[in-house]
Amino acid sequence: MVSLGKKRQRDEDDDGPGPSGNQAPTVGQQTSHIKNKQVRGAKYAKLKHEKNKLKKKERALREKEVARAEELGIEPPPKPVPKTIENTREKDETMVQPDDAEVAADEDQDEFAEHFKRVRPPNVLITTSYKVTGAMYRFISELLEVLPCATYYKRQGYPLKKIVEYAKSRDFTDLMVFNEDRKQINGLLLVHLPDGPTAQFRLSNLVLSNDIKGHARATSHRPELVLNNFDTRLGHRVGRMFASLFHQDPTFRGRRVVTFHNQRDFIFFRHHRYIFEERQKKEKGKKEKVNTVKARLQEIGPRFTLKLQSLQKGTFNSKGGEFEWMHKAGEQDTSRRKFQL
Amino acid sequence: MAADKRDPPLRLVCSDELGQLKVVQTADGDQLGTAAVASTWGQPFKLQWIDCIALGSASGIGDTASAVLAVARCSGSIELLSPLAGELLGTIPATPITAAGSGSAPQQQQDAVRVRGLHLLWGAGGSGSGSNGGGAEGPPPLPSVLSVTEGGTASVHAPAAGSRGSWEQQASWQVPAGVCCTAYDPATGRLAVGCQGTELRLYDCASGDLVFAFKGGKPNSVGLVDRPWNTAIVFLPPLASTDSSGGSDGGPGDRLLVGTGYQKVRLYDKAKGKRPQMELAWGEGRVTCMALEPQSHRVWLGNGLGQIEVLDVVSRRFSGAVKGLAGGVRALAVHPTQPVLASVGLDRYLRLHATHSRRLLAKVYCKTLPTDASMLPPIEQQQERKQRRRKGAASSEDDDDEEEADEKQERAPQRKHSKHRGAGGSKRQRDNRRRQQGAGGEARSN
């Protein structure tokens, strides 16, 4: 036990390698150890100048090659891909691989399995926090159009645990509780019944249908569902939770689609209708018009953003329950390129 | 033996909600960072859900020959496995639901048979079948098994004297219903039972009598008390004799540390009274598990929010925390000899921490939701095993199987590790592998 690896001496020992683990040091990193400001500034300027020169040279070379390729009519060299936060995301071993039999077996027997096997159709109870204002009612009425299988109940001062019991005995499959604070709708508690899990989301950037320019009206068809980028184990679980709010067999004729798009752990909710429009288009150099099919989108609304705060095993019990995942700011937010969902 | 001075590899087992047992192993005792899942016993099947596991051996930690791993399934049946290769040694069927309890809903009936406390009893009460004590021949004796169900039935099963493979119920008694956790003190044969709805009780396992019933904390300034809900218990060793108090200090099996569902940690002492001698508010969630550090008065506590802290019982202070868990802690286990703490949590990770520096040593992704964890005895060294084989010459094909399985287990994590390192990696490891292969070859040629 004496010889613990040097690598383990880091403070943040629960995370992967640091942000710039194996890259060349930046100009700032190369000069930051110099204490004299004058010397440091001069050194910095010199290095920066050299770097810029090199960059310029490389770019000129690249442009030359592209021009040459165009002249000769051959394939131009591939464009360098810019680094983004998404494509430099830190590796996560909980990312679900499509051929992972054990994870598949686990998901085949979890709380949502019955829904995905079409044994248990969704039946959602929507309610709110204790005292709500007009904005919430407008939002709920729009949400009832999004979710054809939902029922709204007034909160009427019942405690949440009582509501969970009630919904369980009435064969509801999910419970959604929206929270309002000072006329802002700011939270969503999503409980899958009867055995959980329970997810707490922060809700932000809510825009109601009426405030969306050129919005459409929802029809009563069952919507299609798009879940984007729920890739880790936790993401899968949250994605399955959202999926269990909607019927497994959408009415494709309705051309209505609900999207949960996850990007950098923010889940964007959007509601659209689409159309495959046949158009006659004039092409260059041809006299006759050509029939083309173009997909077009129209937003229905509402739109909002969710951020997962915690995922609890079992139904709502914030003090005595066990959490599968919990957002811990100090411990988890160590890197901007690390995501949980 | 002289060739190998390294520590034996660290082995752990964790059970999961799909009824699998996962053996996590390190390359050797020093390189804990190499921990990886070495083998999985069982198929993923939710009806086989494992509630708790218990590991024990007849004479302490070093005794791997008699070590037994008991596993309680959600149906209430208990299986005894060999902790070396995971082969089945015996099965105790679930106690049928009595007519008295059948009035309730089916879900409640199913929950009532689930085992919340599982302990292995060696020696006086147990070891019915293999009474051939010191002889090297024959299989080692099996222990008696003490189990406590959620419905409140405590029972002791012992292997039947006549036929091998059958079990008889030696004793059974009723404890309060709604059992959450139990603890067993082998020195005094006492069982502590923590329930939801009833305060902590101490039972004598030999007779099944109630030894002591504790009380909850005193009412606070407005007269409010917590409802009884004890969620984690551990027996504390007796305090090093401070003779001034003249025997009023608790003896063995008197002092207990209890965690409640209301974020409280209580220290009880039977010799001093029914009320807790100390009550601390800790954390923000329900205390889910505790683990006593051997040869010390430090207890590790974990809660449902993923906090782990260590409580020094003598100074009555929390003296350090472990960070980095995203989900609630399901089980904690401290290695009997090495300063290593293992924790499994609902974030599906098994973590190894150093108990003194509290630094993370290894982190293993388990894929499924774990329910319980335990340290496993190290696999015996090759040479020892060969000796045993020569001496015993016990007719055993399963012995062969076991050995092969063991070898596989031993090599697996090393191979994985060597990929991470460069070619220059560790000479020691390569040597070790070569030696193992050599030894394996020899064994086969014999």
Side-chain angles (χ1 to χ4, degrees):
Chain A
M1 281 311 298
V2 186
S3 64
L4 294 167
K6 281 273 158 57
K7 248 174 126 182
R8 293 279 172 203
Q9 303 279 348
R10 279 181 282 117
D11 274 355
E12 287 304 332
D13 40 17
D14 206 48
D15 293 304
S20 51
N22 44 14
Q23 292 163 3
T26 61
V27 175
Q29 282 168 349
Q30 283 176 49
T31 52
S32 62
H33 66 277
I34 304 170
K35 282 182 181 158
N36 187 321
K37 195 172 182 181
Q38 295 285 326
V39 176
R40 188 172 66 234
K43 178 96 177 172
Y44 184 93
K46 195 180 156 210
L47 287 172
K48 194 79 184 166
H49 181 65
E50 277 171 16
K51 203 178 174 186
N52 283 343
K53 249 164 86 178
L54 195 72
K55 250 184 173 172
K56 232 176 184 173
K57 213 168 142 189
E58 276 173 4
R59 190 192 297 152
L61 204 71
R62 218 162 41 227
E63 278 169 0
K64 218 166 131 188
E65 259 177 56
V66 171
R68 201 174 68 93
E70 206 173 322
E71 217 169 75
L72 296 172
I74 54 171
E75 192 91 349
K79 275 187 181 174
V81 181
K83 274 184 195 160
T84 61
I85 288 185
E86 271 84 20
N87 67 18
T88 54
R89 177 175 181 172
E90 273 169 27
K91 220 182 127 200
D92 191 342
E93 58 185 332
T94 68
M95 210 69 103
V96 178
Q97 305 300 327
D99 56 343
D100 198 324
E102 198 177 345
V103 175
D106 191 6
E107 289 188 344
D108 206 36
Q109 304 172 51
D110 71 356
E111 297 95 331
F112 309 108
E114 274 191 337
H115 173 262
F116 286 96
K117 285 173 188 158
R118 304 187 184 199
V119 179
R120 196 162 172 242
N123 187 11
V124 184
L125 192 155
I126 297 179
T127 187
T128 62
S129 50
Y130 284 116
K131 185 140 172 51
V132 291
T133 56
M136 178 66 93
Y137 293 114
R138 283 195 293 280
F139 173 59
I140 298 269
S141 67
E142 286 182 8
L143 206 72
L144 288 172
E145 290 186 342
V146 178
L147 291 162
C149 51
T151 324
Y152 167 67
Y153 280 72
K154 276 187 278 181
R155 177 70 180 258
Q156 296 218 320
Y158 285 109
L160 214 47
K161 283 182 189 172
K162 284 258 169 66
I163 295 177
V164 167
E165 285 307 311
Y166 171 86
K168 252 192 223 178
S169 62
R170 297 289 168 106
D171 270 342
F172 281 98
T173 61
D174 292 272
L175 168 69
M176 293 173 100
V177 185
F178 288 91
N179 190 60
E180 183 186 314
D181 180 29
R182 279 169 277 174
K183 301 198 176 180
Q184 290 286 315
I185 298 167
N186 67 349
L188 162 64
L189 184 88
L190 186 57
V191 187
H192 188 71
L193 301 170
D195 299 322
T198 303
Q200 174 85 53
F201 297 95
R202 193 173 65 206
L203 193 154
S204 58
N205 298 341
L206 174 67
V207 183
L208 296 179
S209 294
N210 277 340
D211 303 333
I212 297 171
K213 224 177 176 182
H215 72 95
R217 291 297 303 272
T219 54
S220 60
H221 298 95
R222 287 178 182 175
E224 297 161 44
L225 185 64
V226 176
L227 293 164
N228 284 340
N229 305 338
F230 292 94
D231 291 333
T232 62
R233 265 332 271 290
L234 182 69
H236 258 235
R237 215 151 153 70
V238 173
R240 285 167 75 82
M241 217 166 165
F242 286 132
S244 68
L245 299 174
F246 295 88
H247 280 101
Q248 280 287 287
D249 43 347
T251 321
F252 290 104
R253 267 187 59 223
R255 305 190 318 277
R256 193 151 88 86
V257 58
V258 172
T259 311
F260 290 91
H261 176 86
N262 170 35
Q263 192 167 352
R264 305 184 189 176
D265 284 353
F266 288 92
I267 301 159
F268 298 93
F269 173 91
R270 296 290 182 272
H271 186 199
H272 293 96
R273 66 193 273 258
Y274 59 86
I275 192 164
F276 295 114
E277 204 173 50
E278 283 190 17
R279 271 188 174 180
Q280 295 207 319
K281 202 179 165 191
K282 215 186 158 193
E283 275 192 23
K284 243 187 189 175
K286 284 182 187 171
K287 271 194 175 176
E288 286 171 25
K289 285 182 177 173
V290 187
N291 281 343
T292 54
V293 179
K294 199 183 174 194
R296 283 157 52 86
L297 272 182
Q298 188 179 22
E299 186 160 358
I300 300 175
R303 67 164 90 121
F304 53 85
T305 309
L306 297 170
K307 178 97 163 60
L308 184 66
Q309 302 292 100
S310 68
L311 183 71
Q312 190 196 325
K313 201 172 163 54
T315 54
F316 177 78
N317 187 358
S318 53
K319 284 213 159 166
E322 287 182 298
F323 287 82
E324 277 182 48
W325 183 83
M326 198 169 200
H327 179 239
K328 292 179 179 170
E331 292 175 31
Q332 287 162 354
D333 301 347
T334 49
S335 160
R336 290 176 4 128
R337 297 178 298 114
K338 192 169 183 195
F339 301 112
Q340 307 286 341
L341 290 177
Chain B
M1 271 314 278
D4 204 346
K5 285 205 179 103
R6 294 168 306 127
D7 292 332
L10 195 79
R11 291 176 81 222
L12 291 143
V13 67
C14 67
S15 59
D16 69 21
E17 296 192 347
L18 296 181
Q20 293 172 311
L21 287 162
K22 294 201 170 169
V23 181
V24 173
Q25 198 173 352
T26 61
D28 72 41
D30 284 339
Q31 302 171 346
L32 296 174
T34 57
V37 175
S39 58
T40 306
W41 300 337
Q43 294 299 315
F45 190 42
K46 196 146 207 173
L47 295 177
Q48 294 281 307
W49 180 314
I50 295 173
D51 277 325
C52 46
I53 58 177
L55 178 83
S57 57
S59 52
I61 317 132
D63 185 9
T64 53
S66 68
V68 168
L69 180 70
V71 168
R73 308 270 178 192
C74 67
S75 60
S77 67
I78 298 163
E79 288 170 12
L80 274 80
L81 307 169
S82 145
L84 295 175
E87 75 237 24
L88 193 67
L89 301 175
T91 308
I92 305 169
T95 44
I97 302 160
T98 52
S102 62
S104 48
Q107 182 63 43
Q108 283 177 332
Q109 281 184 34
Q110 278 172 26
D111 284 347
V113 298
R114 296 181 74 154
V115 177
R116 293 291 170 221
L118 187 63
H119 308 280
L120 298 177
L121 277 53
W122 298 88
S127 72
S129 73
S131 51
N132 47 0
E137 308 289 323
L142 288 175
S144 301
V145 179
L146 166 65
S147 62
V148 186
T149 64
E150 192 178 319
T153 313
S155 45
V156 181
H157 287 88
S163 57
R164 182 151 182 82
S166 65
W167 293 76
E168 62 186 8
Q169 196 176 50
Q170 280 196 331
S172 177
W173 70 95
Q174 210 61 31
V175 299
V179 176
C180 293
C181 57
T182 64
Y184 174 70
D185 183 36
T188 51
R190 276 180 192 160
L191 175 77
V193 181
C195 313
Q196 184 163 22
T198 318
E199 281 298 349
L200 184 68
R201 301 215 167 159
L202 274 183
Y203 290 89
D204 182 35
C205 283
S207 58
D209 295 335
L210 179 70
V211 176
F212 204 75
F214 289 99
K215 278 181 166 181
K218 279 187 180 166
N220 66 4
S221 55
V222 269
L224 293 174
V225 285
D226 284 342
R227 264 185 256 164
W229 187 15
N230 298 315
T231 50
I233 309 179
V234 68
F235 273 101
L236 296 176
L239 275 177
S241 55
T242 43
D243 285 332
S244 58
S245 53
S248 69
D249 256 353
D254 277 356
R255 279 155 50 82
L256 296 122
L257 196 69
V258 176
T260 75
Y262 304 103
Q263 307 115 38
K264 295 262 171 60
V265 180
R266 292 172 181 162
L267 175 71
Y268 282 108
D269 194 335
K270 178 176 163 284
K272 286 195 176 159
K274 290 188 162 189
R275 295 270 189 204
Q277 301 304 305
M278 171 191 79
E279 192 169 47
L280 296 171
W282 174 65
E284 282 151 16
R286 141 175 142 211
V287 182
T288 49
C289 49
M290 289 187 187
L292 178 71
E293 230 175 75
Q295 283 92 46
S296 80
H297 290 277
R298 301 210 307 165
V299 179
W300 289 88
L301 302 118
N303 75 4
L305 268 62
Q307 294 167 305
I308 297 180
E309 277 192 55
V310 59
L311 173 71
D312 194 322
V313 181
V314 177
S315 64
R316 303 189 173 185
R317 272 210 192 114
F318 285 98
S319 56
V322 157
K323 298 269 166 117
L325 280 83
V329 191
R330 267 285 165 92
L332 292 168
V334 186
H335 196 275
T337 52
Q338 292 180 37
V340 179
L341 170 81
S343 58
V344 287
L346 284 174
D347 56 355
R348 299 183 166 88
Y349 275 102
L350 182 145
R351 288 178 172 84
L352 295 180
H353 286 94
T355 48
H356 293 303
S357 61
R358 308 190 304 278
R359 206 181 289 130
L360 183 77
L361 302 171
K363 190 179 162 191
V364 182
Y365 173 47
C366 290
K367 286 189 184 176
T368 47
L369 281 178
T371 53
D372 204 349
S374 168
M375 294 281 176
L376 281 185
I379 293 177
E380 291 170 62
Q381 301 296 312
Q382 298 279 336
Q383 290 173 352
E384 248 183 65
R385 209 183 298 156
K386 251 188 281 170
Q387 278 174 6
R388 192 187 65 184
R389 172 182 284 207
R390 256 182 236 131
K391 197 168 46 174
S395 64
S396 48
E397 288 143 28
D398 23 350
D399 227 25
D400 263 316
D401 291 347
E402 178 189 316
E403 195 163 307
E404 270 163 37
D406 290 356
E407 272 169 27
K408 254 183 250 161
Q409 279 170 20
E410 270 175 20
R411 273 200 292 267
Q414 285 177 1
R415 206 181 299 136
K416 198 162 182 185
H417 181 62
S418 63
K419 220 189 294 171
H420 287 295
R421 294 181 165 223
S426 73
K427 190 172 164 243
R428 207 155 111 194
Q429 237 177 50
R430 263 181 288 139
D431 288 352
N432 173 29
R433 208 176 309 145
R434 204 176 302 144
R435 192 171 56 231
Q436 270 191 358
Q437 279 163 0
E442 266 177 55
R444 260 172 234 123
S445 68
N446 274 351

